[in-house]
Amino acid sequence: MTDRLSQQFAFLTEADKLKSVLRGTTLCDGSRRENSGEHSWHIALYALVMAEHVERPVNVDRVIKMLLLHDLVEIDAGDNPIHGNHDPAEMERVEQAAADRIFGLLPADQATEFRALWDEFEAAESDDAIFAKSIDRVQPVVNNLASGGGSWPEYNVTPEQLETRVGVKVRKGAPALWGHLKTRIDAWFDAR
Amino acid sequence: MTDRLSQQFAFLTEADKLKSVLRGTTLCDGSRRENSGEHSWHIALYALVMAEHVERPVNVDRVIKMLLLHDLVEIDAGDNPIHGNHDPAEMERVEQAAADRIFGLLPADQATEFRALWDEFEAAESDDAIFAKSIDRVQPVVNNLASGGGSWPEYNVTPEQLETRVGVKVRKGAPALWGHLKTRIDAWFDAR
């Protein structure tokens, strides 16, 4: 029991480091960059609020668990902004090694369970994972709109890029959300 | 539908402000104070990992939802450190008004549902709420131990205070966790 508790506390203490991984996106008020810990909270809340807008039925409790776990690999691998340039094969290799190490801190049964949820999220094939990925893409758009464009100018983002890199994935899991955001995105680019 | 989505996005954008509410506790590495957004993520993860140590059976999915919502009132009311001094009646009045305003941003059905979960957490009577409260008390202790005492010296915390203000509540929902931590807490005070 003590060994098991020690492993669980070690994992949860390691997880604390996610609060020091900075993302490309800022807070809604633009005051600073968001970290991946608070981002994970925010999108879990998004899933809870927005679950009614799914394209296909999901188990929202599983979606929330996926979202709580989905960014932990960034403790080793860092955040890769969606509009940045990086080598996908190298990124996958680093993230797989990170998942081995970080989930491996847990007792074996929990390591297996959490790793399976993370693998499912990454594969983006199940209805739960597709919705989780949609939500993960929606929140930065809202924060960027709230902060007057946020990181879009920095990355020279175009409406077409938003459509292909973000819109396609959001539509797949929650088309109503993209419909709503598209109007606001178009208005933002028109005003520039 | 558009009105409903607008209300939901307004609530989620308001929720972003929780990332700017600072707590008494620091990160595990002591580098800065923790904010209530990232804290909410961390304790939801704690609940997921530690659910097997409950004193009485809980619905961990409900517990996680409670924990995702539990600190939102701090956007208006601020964080009240457990070892600080404040007027409980005034604090409750301010938090109730905050809950009215913040959950009131949502469509009525969701406002009612989320408010009921928050009320249940605050009442700390149901098995789900008792476990959620235990988890909310455990995480700061772990962060303080990791950062070499954290905010304990600042608040002149004694082992007796930790027992009466923290231990009693943790024991109620998850006694095994307090048993594990008590050993580490005693060692920390003995070493001073």
Side-chain angles (χ1 to χ4, degrees), chain B residues 38-117:
Chain B
E38 62 200 3
H39 162 76
S40 297
W41 162 72
H42 205 184
I43 60 174
L45 191 62
Y46 261 78
L48 188 56
V49 171
M50 295 301 197
E52 68 192 50
H53 303 294
V54 290
E55 177 68 355
R56 297 161 57 87
V58 299
N59 178 336
V60 70
D61 299 321
R62 287 190 82 240
V63 171
I64 288 173
K65 284 175 193 166
M66 271 183 206
L67 292 174
L68 293 175
L69 299 171
H70 84 295
D71 268 346
L72 283 170
V73 294
E74 293 182 359
I75 290 169
D76 290 351
D79 177 57
N80 290 290
I82 192 172
H83 301 297
N85 291 310
H86 42 73
D87 173 3
E90 171 63 9
M91 189 175 114
E92 193 187 333
R93 193 194 62 72
V94 172
E95 289 192 349
Q96 290 287 332
D100 288 347
R101 184 186 76 77
I102 296 164
F103 294 123
L105 295 170
L106 286 163
D109 59 320
Q110 287 189 318
T112 303
E113 182 195 342
F114 289 13
R115 176 60 180 265
L117 270 172

Side-chain angles (χ1 to χ4, degrees), chain A residues 118-136:
Chain A
W118 181 75
D119 286 341
E120 181 179 335
F121 175 82
E122 286 294 300
E125 287 169 358
S126 72
D127 291 337
D128 288 351
I130 288 168
F131 180 60
K133 287 266 180 189
S134 295
I135 289 297
D136 190 31

Side-chain angles (χ1 to χ4, degrees), chain B residues 83-161:
Chain B
H83 301 297
N85 291 310
H86 42 73
D87 173 3
E90 171 63 9
M91 189 175 114
E92 193 187 333
R93 193 194 62 72
V94 172
E95 289 192 349
Q96 290 287 332
D100 288 347
R101 184 186 76 77
I102 296 164
F103 294 123
L105 295 170
L106 286 163
D109 59 320
Q110 287 189 318
T112 303
E113 182 195 342
F114 289 13
R115 176 60 180 265
L117 270 172
W118 182 76
D119 287 340
E120 182 180 334
F121 175 82
E122 286 294 302
E125 287 169 0
S126 71
D127 292 336
D128 288 352
I130 288 169
F131 180 61
K133 287 266 179 188
S134 295
I135 289 296
D136 190 30
R137 295 280 186 263
V138 162
Q139 183 260 2
V141 171
V142 176
N143 278 36
N144 281 336
L145 284 167
S147 64
S151 51
W152 291 340
E154 181 184 344
Y155 289 102
N156 294 311
V157 174
T158 64
E160 294 70 34
Q161 270 181 326

Side-chain angles (χ1 to χ4, degrees), chain A residues 61-112:
Chain A
D61 299 321
R62 288 190 82 241
V63 170
I64 288 173
K65 284 175 193 166
M66 271 183 206
L67 293 174
L68 293 175
L69 300 171
H70 86 293
D71 268 347
L72 282 170
V73 294
E74 293 182 0
I75 290 170
D76 291 350
D79 177 58
N80 291 289
I82 192 172
H83 300 297
N85 291 310
H86 43 72
D87 173 3
E90 172 61 9
M91 189 175 115
E92 192 186 335
R93 193 193 61 74
V94 172
E95 289 192 348
Q96 290 287 332
D100 289 346
R101 184 187 77 78
I102 295 164
F103 294 124
L105 295 170
L106 285 163
D109 59 320
Q110 287 189 317
T112 304

Side-chain angles (χ1 to χ4, degrees), chain B residues 155-171:
Chain B
Y155 289 102
N156 294 311
V157 174
T158 64
E160 294 70 34
Q161 270 181 326
L162 278 177
E163 189 59 44
T164 55
R165 296 194 186 186
V166 185
V168 171
K169 288 185 184 168
V170 176
R171 276 187 209 283

